[in-house]
Amino acid sequence: TTFSWTVASAPSRVSDGLLVLYEFGEGSGSVVGDSSGVGVPLDLSVADPGAVSWSSGGLSVEAGTVISSGGPAT
């Protein structure tokens, strides 16, 4: 099973109460950066970078892997 997330341009973005924001702009690697600008960044780590493929503004999960943060968003 393949899951894909694509970030599309939106006329406005919700910002009230924002804790994290992932825009998937990295394009490669094993880290999805939190670009919210709120507190300490809560980046996501991809356990097996070979299980995902990057596209413009997106990340496709093509095989079993864990994508996690170092803790909860607070």
Side-chain angles (χ1 to χ4, degrees), residues 4-5 10 15 33 44 54 56 67 72:
S4 297
W5 290 271
S15 59
L44 298 176
W54 289 88
S56 176
I67 300 174

Side-chain angles (χ1 to χ4, degrees), residues 1-73:
T1 303
T2 300
F3 298 96
S4 297
W5 290 271
T6 301
V7 177
S9 296
S12 64
R13 180 176 296 277
V14 173
S15 59
D16 291 342
L18 184 70
L19 297 178
V20 296
L21 175 61
Y22 304 109
E23 298 180 288
F24 299 92
E26 290 80 2
S28 65
S30 62
V31 175
V32 180
D34 171 15
S35 58
S36 68
V38 177
V40 176
L42 187 61
D43 296 340
L44 298 176
S45 295
V46 180
D48 180 4
V52 301
S53 64
W54 289 88
S55 62
S56 176
L59 177 75
S60 294
V61 180
E62 298 174 350
T65 190
V66 174
I67 300 174
S68 62
S69 66

